[in-house]
Amino acid sequence: MKKKIAIVFSVFLIIFCFFLFYSNKNQNFLLKDTTKNAEKKETKPYTRLVVAIPYSRVEERDLKLVEEEINKICRKELEIEIEIMTSSSYYNQVNLMLAGDEQLDIMVATNEMLMENYMNGYLLPLDSLLENYGKDITEQIGEKIVRACSINQTLYGIPGNRDYAKGSDAYMLRKDILDKYHINPKNIKTHEDLDEVFALVKENEKDMTVLVSGAGTMMEHLYFVDAASASNFGRHMNYGRDEKIVNSFETEEYIEALKMVRNWYLKGYLDTDDLSQTEPLFSRVRNGEIFAYTTKGKPGIVSQDCSATGREMVCVQLGKDVISYNSISFCPWTITANTISPKKSMQLLNLFYSNADIMNLLCYGVEGVHYKKTEDGHITYADEKKGNPFVSNAWKMPNQFITYVWEGNDLTLWEDVKKFNEEAIHCCDLGLNYDISKVYDQYTSLKEIYSRYRVILENGLVNPEEGLRKMLLEMEENGMNSVIQLKQKQYDFWKNNKTESFTHLYK
Amino acid sequence: MNNLTLLKKRLFSIIGGVVILFMVLSVAYSASILKIEKEQEMERYTQTLRVYMQRMEESMDSVENLLITQCTNISDIQKIRKSGKGMDRYLTLFQKEKEFSEEIGKYKFLDGLFLFEKERETYIGVKRDAVKTSEHTAVKKHAMEIISGFEGRENKDSWFFQKIEGFPYLFRVIETKNIYFCAWMKAEYLVNDLVEAEGNEDTLIALGDKKGEIMNCSESVEATIKNQKQIRIHEKKYSIINVFSDKRNLSLHLFQRDRSVFIVFKRLILPLSLIVIMGVTIYLLVILFTKEVFLNPLDKLLFEKERAKNKAELQFLQLQTNPHFLNNCLSLIRNLVFLDRKEEAQEAVISLGKYTRSSLNPHTEITVKGEIKHIETYYQLLKLRFHDRIEMKVTVDSQAEFLKIPTMLIQTFVENSVKHQLSSEDTLRISVHVFIEKEYLIVQIEDNGEGFAETLRSRLKEGKPIVDEDGNIHVGIANIVQRMHILYGENAKILFENKEVHGACVTIFIPILCDVKKLPEKEKEDEK
């Protein structure tokens, strides 16, 4: 009888197990669902701020990882959450959001966006907000530099900590080729010296393009050319020190530079098909197609380019280190009129500028996923093959100076950059943002004209005299003089009324 | 125990049969469901492919329009063709590049756009952000080939496939005055959305031209698909869905791995094992419970007759030792001895001995002769007691002498008569008549008493025990009725009648089961 009971019991046990298995399966499913819901519910109490950052080539997936990590800190520190908005057509997307009254709390205003949005009234004045909630920002950036984003004495943006100066007229050369022909780069001191080197390379390395542009045109490494800035139309020459504003395209320096590039083009140093170039610079250098390229001198640039190209490079700088226009306000962080909370937005910015963890996340992604620490205190790729989509965007972030240093740079990089900014020549209008709203139409036309001509002119594709004549004519017809006059008036007024001197940035 | 094993076997085969039936049914059901599902899935896939094809066609239409618009801008084209002054030419080329980069993002599937001037091999081109630079470089490098490929075509007004560095691309070229405007789409990217949405290791998506030649597929497939429904790729069987474009040089193919057997198996493994387990459980439970609840009662039913016989025998034995009768006989013998009637006493002792001995007969049946002998012994004893007050006459057909009747059959009725009808005034006459009529042995017992009361008769007929006025239970006749029923079933019957004058008459019909004539010899042998 005991045996029978045992059998019956075991049979029931088996059936029971089956049902348990089934119900368990369902229950787990339900559990998962409820946890999901719970998570969703949890997020509700936090204020959600939308932050627009012009990341280029960062995938949504990577960005979400960063966003989540940042939110962990933000929830704790400020009881808010952020949503990072980015787009390949950042400018259009942001303008649509602003015009459409969509929530947008913090925005990086690249290029002319600061001026444009100021004109459209999309920016909040930040003076009192900064005073009340942005103590750390002032501390991190410096009182003086923060003021450089003012328009008509009102603060509309907060600059990021980065290199404001550039080492002008700089060239990055391949060291192995220099060594091959026993050229000491230290002996290259003038454009003539450089020309000789190019001629030698052209003669002996038939398959190689001697010189290409590192960014934009063949002239963008010169102090008086800045494609992405209003400073092009009406400029202080002599490294920004001449108080008289002139049309830089009429100056002897510009014409000489055009002639030099045209000369290089005619001698065959440059790409003949520059317009149709499809490959990015660094991979071409890596492939050995290129001997030299123009660059912007700054601390750490050589080691950065060495690791990017996989070759040993040498930098020859013929010009001086200079802040030739008010580059501090080139890419400021702003609070828009569509914000749901100006106070929280400023608090968030304050956190951004002072929290090294958030800055590392914004600049380099998530540790272990996008980067890893090295033994000597640097950081590097977590996976060399996948690369790091964030690092090329790091300069746009609020405060790089509190982040790690990428492998290949000196650990003192950020101190060096500060020193570089401080010691460079400072233009006389540093800290002044010209209010060009009155001549904005003219400015737009000028920009359009320049963008058409610059590529063919500054790459030496056409005869510079003829081309320049045409461009200048068109510019004159479209109000170049009125822009220059307005700027001069504003400069004079500003100079006479300014309370601060920008001779020293950090003192 | 044998019965139990048999029962187990039968139960096993029944439940086994049911289990197998269920299994077959669920397999069949599952297979039919799967078939319907597959049809629906195929229908859905076809729909998806059609929609996707339509999207591609629409995109291609608008890209064509773009190219045509570019071609119709005569002034730009002339500026590009200008051989002399470079200025306008470069400005226009740069303008074109800008235009292209503005346009490229507006067209779905469009990977790249370029302008090619054959004479100077001028290439101005842009690519979509997501396209790799190496692919753009490849297209640029092979621009000349693409153009000559286009020149060599008969039908110049259509999209065509060409392989660049081993990868198939779809091109559309429009030429005007030796300037070629070309739009290109990499086959891989063209179906990318579809592959991401629908593709997996069992679902391959391929792009082909209008002849059905596969251009791009996630697995390397080189085949031309016309109308066949199945294909083997890497030794695996796939069913195919084809959608051919009506107007474009395009076709979409979806290869669905045929895994129905695997899926059916996967789906059924749990239900089938459940069925088996349930079957086994039910089997075990039934075995267990039938044993306790069902089988034992059945057992009782099966052996009830046997047991009833045993019980009858017991009752019979009880009857034999009727203590009253024994007591009466013993007091009779004592009186005879006391009166010094030695011979009579001796006779009584002998008769009692005979009577008791024949009463102890263990068999359930006895020959008529044996029964008659028994009654006669009983009669002798009665005679010694009651002298003239009782008289019994027995007539037996000689043929009936060796037929068998239930033990104590006649005795019970005779005893009954004596018990109830004997009176001190009249002589009780009992006559026993045994004879054969047709196939019945008939035993008739008559007396000259008062006959049966009506209520008594009906009770006797039903075979129920009789309760007299003193509350004593008389089971004798009821037992006989029962025993008769056990032994002969419905074939035997007993009639209880009252005679016209005084007295009762009991007629017993017993069926003759075997040949009467053969019996005597056998019986005689038995007696010896």
Side-chain angles (χ1 to χ4, degrees), chain A residues 4 7-8 11 14-15 18 22 88 265 273 275-276 278-280 451-453 455-456 461-462 467 470, chain B residues 86-88 90-91 93-95 97-98 123-124 129 133-134 136-137 140 270 274 277 281 284 288 292:
Chain A
K4 286 175 195 169
I7 292 169
V8 173
V11 165
I14 290 167
I15 294 169
F18 261 94
Y22 258 99
S88 54
Y265 179 79
D273 59 346
L275 282 180
S276 62
T278 53
E279 287 287 302
S451 82
R452 252 192 298 132
Y453 280 95
V455 181
I456 54 171
L461 293 174
V462 294
K470 276 192 171 178
Chain B
M87 191 75 188
D88 280 349
Y90 279 123
L91 277 178
L93 285 177
F94 177 64
Q95 194 60 35
E97 192 187 17
K98 252 177 92 177
Y123 174 98
I124 295 290
D129 279 352
T133 43
S134 60
H136 187 198
T137 311
K140 184 186 137 193
L270 209 69
L274 260 179
I277 287 169
T281 316
L284 289 175
L288 221 71
E292 296 295 322

Side-chain angles (χ1 to χ4, degrees), chain A residues 100-323:
Chain A
D101 280 339
E102 271 181 62
Q103 188 195 338
L104 179 62
D105 301 285
I106 293 172
M107 165 185 86
V108 180
T110 57
N111 297 12
E112 294 113 346
M113 282 174 81
L114 179 70
M115 185 51 68
E116 279 179 12
N117 288 309
Y118 160 74
M119 279 161 56
N120 291 326
Y122 288 141
L123 300 180
L124 285 191
L126 304 178
D127 302 78
S128 63
L129 286 172
L130 185 71
E131 203 172 316
N132 293 325
Y133 310 110
K135 289 277 185 296
D136 297 331
I137 295 177
T138 322
E139 200 176 294
Q140 288 287 336
I141 304 289
E143 181 86 31
K144 234 187 263 181
I145 296 174
V146 172
R147 303 301 318 173
C149 289
S150 305
I151 302 171
N152 295 335
Q153 280 82 50
T154 310
L155 188 66
Y156 286 101
I158 298 162
N161 251 340
R162 61 186 155 82
D163 45 345
Y164 307 127
K166 79 172 175 184
S168 65
D169 208 355
Y171 303 84
M172 196 66 80
L173 314 175
R174 262 175 67 178
K175 190 164 182 295
D176 53 339
I177 304 284
L178 289 175
D179 290 347
K180 195 173 161 187
Y181 300 107
H182 310 290
I183 302 163
N184 185 353
K186 280 177 186 158
N187 295 336
I188 306 171
K189 292 199 169 116
T190 62
H191 284 115
E192 285 73 34
D193 297 339
L194 195 65
D195 211 31
E196 274 174 37
V197 176
F198 288 166
L200 191 71
V201 175
K202 175 72 192 170
E203 180 68 32
N204 295 297
E205 304 285 334
K206 299 278 185 213
D207 297 333
M208 207 176 265
T209 301
V210 179
L211 181 68
V212 299
S213 161
T217 66
M218 292 304 304
M219 282 166 66
E220 229 166 290
H221 60 305
L222 303 174
Y223 79 88
F224 49 85
V225 179
D226 279 290
S229 164
S231 61
N232 279 316
F233 313 110
R235 182 182 280 280
H236 300 274
M237 293 303 282
N238 188 17
Y239 291 103
R241 290 174 294 194
D242 280 352
E243 294 198 3
K244 185 175 166 23
I245 296 176
V246 295
N247 181 353
S248 59
F249 304 114
E250 282 178 340
T251 61
E252 199 60 30
E253 276 169 288
Y254 187 73
I255 296 166
E256 281 305 314
L258 282 184
K259 281 181 181 166
M260 180 180 75
V261 174
R262 176 66 176 169
N263 195 23
W264 286 340
Y265 179 79
L266 291 174
K267 283 181 181 166
Y269 301 163
L270 311 183
D271 282 325
T272 49
D273 59 346
D274 194 59
L275 282 180
S276 62
Q277 198 46 250
T278 53
E279 287 287 302
L281 170 74
F282 287 146
S283 67
R284 290 181 74 198
V285 178
R286 194 186 290 264
N287 292 341
E289 294 172 27
I290 290 166
F291 165 64
Y293 55 89
T294 61
T295 189
K296 181 182 154 184
K298 62 176 179 181
I301 185 75
V302 176
S303 51
Q304 280 170 31
D305 283 20
C306 284
S307 66
T309 59
R311 289 178 184 279
E312 213 175 326
M313 305 301 289
V314 178
C315 185
V316 172
Q317 189 181 323
L318 303 178
K320 293 170 182 166
D321 293 343
V322 60
I323 305 178

Side-chain angles (χ1 to χ4, degrees), chain B residues 365-367 399-405 436-441 487-488 491 510-523 526:
Chain B
E365 283 175 301
I366 190 169
T367 54
Q399 270 192 318
E401 272 186 352
F402 295 106
L403 292 178
K404 287 201 166 175
I405 56 168
I436 291 171
E437 198 177 287
K438 289 175 187 172
E439 38 321 84
Y440 284 103
L441 173 72
L487 288 169
Y488 308 110
N491 293 329
I510 294 167
I512 302 166
L513 295 172
C514 45
D515 201 341
V516 180
K517 285 168 188 173
K518 282 182 186 171
L519 269 170
E521 286 110 22
K522 205 184 165 195
E523 212 56 30
D526 279 357

Side-chain angles (χ1 to χ4, degrees), chain B residues 71 114-119 147-148 150-151 173-182:
Chain B
C71 280
F114 71 82
L115 170 159
F116 191 76
E117 196 194 1
K118 214 175 167 187
E119 286 164 33
I147 298 306
S148 40
F150 163 72
E151 291 290 359
V173 181
I174 295 183
E175 183 255 334
T176 174
K177 294 180 179 174
N178 263 340
I179 289 174
Y180 299 83
F181 289 94
C182 175

Side-chain angles (χ1 to χ4, degrees), chain B residues 21 72 75 118 137-138 250 274 280 310 378 381 464:
Chain B
L21 185 73
T72 48
S75 74
K118 214 175 167 187
T137 311
L250 270 185
L274 260 179
V280 171
N310 292 343
Y378 177 64
L381 280 168
K464 286 178 184 166

